[in-house]
Amino acid sequence: MLFDDEALDGSLPVTVSVLVPVAVDEAYSYRVPAGMRVCPGSIVRVPLGPREVIGVVRDIEEGATVARGRLKDILHVYDDVPPLKADLMLFLDWVANWTLSPPGMVARMVLRSEEALEPEAPLPGVRKVEGAEIERITKARARVLEFVEDGFAWTKSGLAGAAGVSPSVVDGLISHGVLEVVSMPASPPPPAPEPDREGPSLTPAQEAAVDSLRAAIGKGFSVFLIDGVTGSGKTEVYFEAVAEAIRQGRQVLLLLPEISLTSQFLDRFETRFGARPAEWHSDVPPKKRARVWRGAASGDVKVVVGARSALFLPFMDLGLIVVDEEHDTAYKQEDRVSYNARDMAVVRGKISGFTVALASATPSVESQVNALQGRYTRLELPERASGAALPDIIPIDMRTEGPERGRWLAPKLVEALAETVSDGAQALLFLNRRGYAPLTLCRTCGHRFQCPNCSTWLVEHRFRGRLQCHHCGYSEPVPNACPSCGNADTLVACGPGVERIAEEIADILPDAHTLVLSSDLPGGPDRLKREMKVIAEGGADIVIGTQLVAKGHNFPLMRLVGVVDADLGLAHGDPRAGERTFQIISQVTGRAGRIAGQGRGFLQTYAPEHPVIEALLANDRDAFYKSEIEARRASGLPPFGRLAALIFSGADRNQTADFARAVVRAAPHDQSVTLLGPAEAALSLVRGRHRFRALVMAPRAFDLQAYLRQWLKVAPKPRASLRLQVDVDPQSFL
DNA sequence: GTACGAAATGGC
DNA sequence: CCATTTCGTACC
């Protein structure tokens, strides 16, 4: 379907609509200059105002949609890369429509590697000049010549490295005319993963799951939910699905929530398939990114492992997407185009007609409901692949068997800790709160330290000697005297954070080697990686950590997990609080006893009768999902009803609130709208701007889309510095 | 998203 | 009063 200006009778110039990377609803029209050939999906460079941008041709236009005089010519077609395929174009439109984002901004997500559009520059290489002889031969020179004897070209540094000589030896041979500089074809296609290498032996449950997946791959659209307890070997199962897709000659995308997981993951992949997959995430340098992008487009790259943005790669023939840890909130992008990569992966599978496999030990309620309703096929892996039993979960009722005042660990837990450490095994204490104490107040006047920007308490970080706001990053030094009444030494820390638990451990088990893991650890991600390794090798007796310890890394020696405050996180008004709490505590207690022998998990709670805590204590996943689904159904919350939030930001808090109220008044069905101020929304300062959210509820997702679109039409125009942001991702709420 | 002119702030 | 920052708008 090609056309240029001769394609029509020549009287009218051909115009095409082009998606340009600006926040407008429509595509812009451009003229196709004589002799240029473009088709829908062509990647083009076009003038836009004073600059030049990269866009995608959406369609041919029948009549000009814009004044003839304003039409500009397309400057260039990138024809070294294939045009975006029709199914990807459909996907982009779908995503733009669903997220209420400008289509050009969605298209931009595909075009994020500018380098990829030009062919890779050929590398300078060296090759032996045929028949050339050198008069003065040295040992080093002889070694180099050995490698180039076969006449193949090498890179200069590659040759020097292989021969074990310095690059100057190679330079010397070039100047003597023995070697010549040639241009080498840049990077050959990466080695292909081998699907038929022998995999690990599988349990019967794994085998059954693999059979179902294999049977579906290559037979059109299907979605599977691989629902397996921690340690049940989900990875091995979906690796077999990957192998099947590769066997069928198709490409595979493996989505992971955390880039920190990839190095471990890539090793496992290499063990199974004998080659590394291509990587795609924000830390991959531009040249490598460009190679992956081109490889995906050409089909040379068979498997990509990536973060959520990999979903927008222009695969030539994608045959499977695996979304690992599908419940993970990292799949959701909040800024710019707000989307959930897990849901959009399903959409991409639906549009292009291939299999999507979601995997998790603690699937999201949405996915469980989709499985119950038959939209997804659930593959259950109820047992650990190693045969190890799941940990015993032991309740600690803090109302009757809690610690004395000023302590946070119950005697029962302390006893178990001491026992575990003296056995030479490791213990993990989980508390999802950074710092020393979440609230500081004055004993004399009752003054509470609050963030001047947000309406949250300042968290004391004793190690650093500062009071910090965990919302906006504001911080101040801990004062000696109360700023309100002026009395000295009257400030008291209320409640525990991980630092305070570490202090308590140092006091009661002074000989234990303790390590605190939290995301604000000084030293950054590298330090964190090292600490993880130290733990895995047994270099710590007790690990005290925030939610960081729930994810990824295996701690083979871990035998005991203590949850310091199981109720934390259930308190707030978030309708997903129960789900999040269940997921994180399951994942953390699942760390116990995978290898180190029968594990135990202790849950300190004030609310043992809360349905979430009850299900956790009974180690009964089904009970949790049953009660949660019932509760969601009763209140019309997702996935049964849909939520969206309109986010209002502006420099002035009162003005923002006024505007938000005006928009809510303009809404067609006011009974389904709630306006949340910064305090209630637990959000206030984002890049210096206050945010308000109006929550909208509707029974079905598409009602919500239509509703918001209508609403935005009738809403007053934002004045001055006010901005309106619509967030319609079904997973997103606060 | 970004570049531009217009308007508003701010220092001497 | 001019220099610098901030805001509002158009971009085909």
Side-chain angles (χ1 to χ4, degrees):
Chain A
M1 188 179 173
L2 294 166
F3 44 84
D4 54 25
D5 72 341
E6 280 108 306
L8 295 175
D9 58 16
S11 58
L12 280 172
V14 171
T15 67
V16 290
S17 56
V18 176
L19 296 170
V20 287
V22 289
V24 290
D25 285 334
E26 339 76 51
Y28 281 173
S29 302
Y30 285 90
R31 201 164 28 212
V32 183
M36 181 183 280
R37 298 174 79 81
V38 295
C39 65
S42 287
I43 301 170
V44 292
R45 193 171 65 236
V46 291
L48 184 70
R51 63 212 164 102
E52 292 177 6
V53 296
I54 296 169
V56 182
V57 174
R58 175 187 260 178
D59 218 344
I60 187 171
E61 282 177 343
E62 295 299 329
T65 52
V66 74
R68 182 77 49 91
R70 281 210 294 165
L71 269 180
K72 290 183 183 173
D73 279 359
I74 292 175
L75 298 169
H76 177 69
V77 192
Y78 292 94
D79 35 21
D80 291 305
V81 290
L84 304 188
K85 297 177 61 203
D87 58 343
L88 178 56
M89 296 298 286
L90 281 173
F91 175 62
L92 296 183
D93 267 345
W94 203 98
V95 173
N97 201 32
W98 173 263
T99 60
L100 301 185
S101 337
M105 297 308 288
V106 180
R108 201 177 76 107
M109 298 198 289
V110 180
L111 306 171
R112 282 222 319 227
S113 173
E114 204 171 316
E115 266 186 276
L117 303 178
E118 307 282 3
E120 194 172 348
L123 283 170
V126 290
R127 190 174 57 186
K128 185 159 187 279
V129 176
E130 229 177 299
E133 291 297 335
I134 184 140
E135 57 269 30
R136 231 168 43 72
I137 189 88
T138 65
K139 242 187 177 164
R141 285 176 172 179
R143 231 176 1 239
V144 172
L145 289 175
E146 231 175 87
F147 282 92
V148 293
E149 209 43 65
D150 54 12
F152 284 110
W154 289 71
T155 62
K156 213 193 278 179
S157 58
L159 180 58
V165 302
S166 93
S168 64
V169 178
V170 178
D171 284 332
L173 286 165
I174 295 169
S175 63
H176 278 87
V178 179
L179 296 179
E180 60 181 343
V181 179
V182 294
S183 100
M184 289 198 347
S187 61
E194 303 161 39
D196 295 322
R197 285 164 59 106
E198 203 183 333
S201 59
L202 301 176
T203 64
Q206 285 177 311
E207 287 282 8
V210 167
D211 288 346
S212 310
L213 282 163
R214 272 203 199 119
I217 289 169
K219 308 237 166 60
F221 174 61
S222 54
V223 187
F224 289 87
L225 175 61
I226 308 171
D227 177 4
V229 297
T230 46
S232 61
K234 293 180 290 295
T235 313
E236 286 76 30
V237 169
Y238 68 66
F239 272 3
E240 292 317 303
V242 172
E244 180 60 26
I246 298 173
R247 252 177 240 126
Q248 294 183 15
R250 308 190 67 186
Q251 291 170 292
V252 177
L253 170 62
L254 261 161
L255 290 178
L256 297 181
E258 300 276 327
I259 38 169
S260 61
L261 284 179
T262 48
S263 96
Q264 260 192 356
F265 185 87
L266 297 176
D267 292 343
R268 282 179 82 177
F269 188 93
E270 192 174 5
T271 307
R272 169 64 183 80
F273 293 101
R276 301 216 130 201
E279 268 179 84
W280 182 271
H281 51 76
S282 53
D283 285 350
V284 176
K287 264 225 170 85
K288 249 183 167 171
R289 280 172 84 83
R291 243 176 256 152
V292 177
W293 196 97
R294 276 192 300 264
S298 69
D300 285 344
V301 164
K302 292 298 172 203
V303 181
V304 175
V305 171
R308 56 174 187 248
S309 60
L311 186 60
F312 292 92
L313 282 169
F315 291 99
M316 189 200 74
D317 183 19
L318 191 55
L320 171 70
I321 301 181
V322 177
V323 185
D324 199 7
E325 308 293 348
E326 66 89 25
H327 64 280
D328 201 294
T329 48
Y331 283 120
K332 191 178 173 300
Q333 173 152 77
E334 302 258 13
D335 55 350
R336 297 186 189 110
V337 177
S338 167
Y339 68 95
N340 186 310
R342 183 244 294 153
D343 298 331
M344 294 308 107
V346 173
V347 172
R348 198 163 177 186
K350 167 94 182 168
I351 289 173
S352 302
F354 57 76
T355 296
V356 179
L358 314 177
S360 176
T362 52
S364 61
V365 175
E366 274 83 354
S367 294
Q368 290 286 18
V369 169
N370 280 329
L372 275 174
Q373 295 177 341
R375 283 194 287 266
Y376 299 173
T377 305
R378 183 158 171 260
L379 304 173
E380 206 183 354
L381 305 171
E383 265 143 38
R384 285 183 170 181
S386 63
L390 286 170
D392 286 330
I393 306 295
I394 300 140
I396 297 178
D397 189 335
M398 296 293 268
R399 296 167 304 191
T400 56
E401 43 186 347
E404 58 187 277
R405 226 182 130 71
R407 298 275 188 186
W408 313 100
L409 304 175
K412 210 157 126 185
L413 177 55
V414 173
E415 192 188 318
L417 279 170
E419 195 185 300
T420 305
V421 172
S422 72
D423 282 358
Q426 279 176 335
L428 173 67
L429 287 173
F430 170 67
L431 176 62
N432 205 2
R433 204 187 263 141
R434 284 144 54 202
Y436 184 83
L439 168 67
T440 306
L441 56 78
C442 171
R443 202 172 349 178
T444 313
C445 71
H447 173 80
R448 294 163 170 221
F449 286 86
Q450 203 171 349
C451 176
N453 307 317
C454 320
S455 26
T456 50
W457 308 132
L458 291 175
V459 180
E460 183 184 351
H461 286 244
R462 194 160 283 193
F463 187 70
R464 240 172 275 178
R466 298 189 75 86
L467 294 167
Q468 283 182 228
C469 171
H470 284 179
H471 262 116
C472 67
Y474 169 87
S475 97
E476 62 183 53
V478 183
N480 293 322
C482 171
S484 175
C485 66
N487 283 316
D489 301 323
T490 59
L491 303 180
V492 280
C494 301
V498 281
E499 287 181 15
R500 198 167 197 174
I501 300 298
E503 182 185 86
E504 187 169 337
I505 291 289
D507 195 35
I508 51 185
L509 294 168
D511 295 331
H513 185 230
T514 307
L515 214 97
V516 177
L517 285 184
S518 72
S519 54
D520 57 348
L521 190 78
D526 293 338
R527 163 93 181 275
L528 203 63
K529 253 184 205 164
R530 284 203 304 279
E531 303 282 34
M532 293 284 191
K533 201 159 169 252
V534 167
I535 298 165
E537 286 162 1
D541 301 318
I542 299 176
V543 179
I544 302 161
T546 60
Q547 58 180 345
L548 207 88
V549 298
K551 305 194 172 174
H553 293 85
N554 268 330
F555 301 130
L557 304 172
M558 207 62 79
R559 201 189 292 168
L560 173 81
V561 171
V563 179
V564 177
D565 185 353
D567 313 324
L568 184 76
L570 287 174
H572 306 298
D574 183 347
R576 291 178 210 273
E579 180 180 2
R580 300 250 165 87
T581 300
F582 173 76
Q583 284 163 344
I584 199 157
I585 294 179
S586 304
Q587 303 263 2
V588 174
T589 55
R591 311 254 133 234
R594 291 173 86 156
I595 296 157
Q598 180 59 46
R600 284 186 294 172
F602 286 83
L603 262 56
Q604 298 196 142
T605 175
Y606 284 91
E609 69 295 333
H610 188 289
V612 173
I613 304 293
E614 225 172 27
L616 282 164
L617 288 172
N619 234 332
D620 188 346
R621 293 154 33 91
D622 293 345
F624 163 73
Y625 286 110
K626 203 164 165 248
S627 76
E628 186 66 24
I629 288 167
E630 269 324 300
R632 297 268 186 101
R633 200 197 299 273
S635 53
L637 285 168
F640 301 100
R642 295 293 174 167
L643 279 175
L646 298 175
I647 303 161
F648 305 88
S649 12
D652 182 288
R653 191 163 163 154
N654 294 323
Q655 218 184 4
T656 311
D658 281 349
F659 176 65
R661 271 187 281 272
V663 174
V664 170
R665 269 198 304 277
H669 318 89
D670 53 1
Q671 68 275 18
S672 63
V673 179
T674 326
L675 186 64
L676 303 171
E680 303 93 308
L683 260 171
S684 41
L685 202 96
V686 180
R687 274 185 239 103
R689 303 200 160 184
H690 293 281
R691 287 182 161 204
F692 275 75
R693 286 190 171 202
L695 276 187
V696 188
M697 289 178 72
R700 288 182 315 161
F702 279 96
D703 293 346
L704 194 60
Q705 311 290 315
Y707 180 44
L708 289 175
R709 229 171 262 126
Q710 187 190 346
W711 190 357
L712 290 173
K713 263 186 217 146
V714 297
K717 253 199 138 190
R719 290 164 314 167
S721 60
L722 296 172
R723 292 266 160 81
L724 183 77
Q725 186 185 333
V726 187
D727 186 352
V728 287
D729 186 308
Q731 261 284 342
S732 72
F733 176 71
L734 301 184

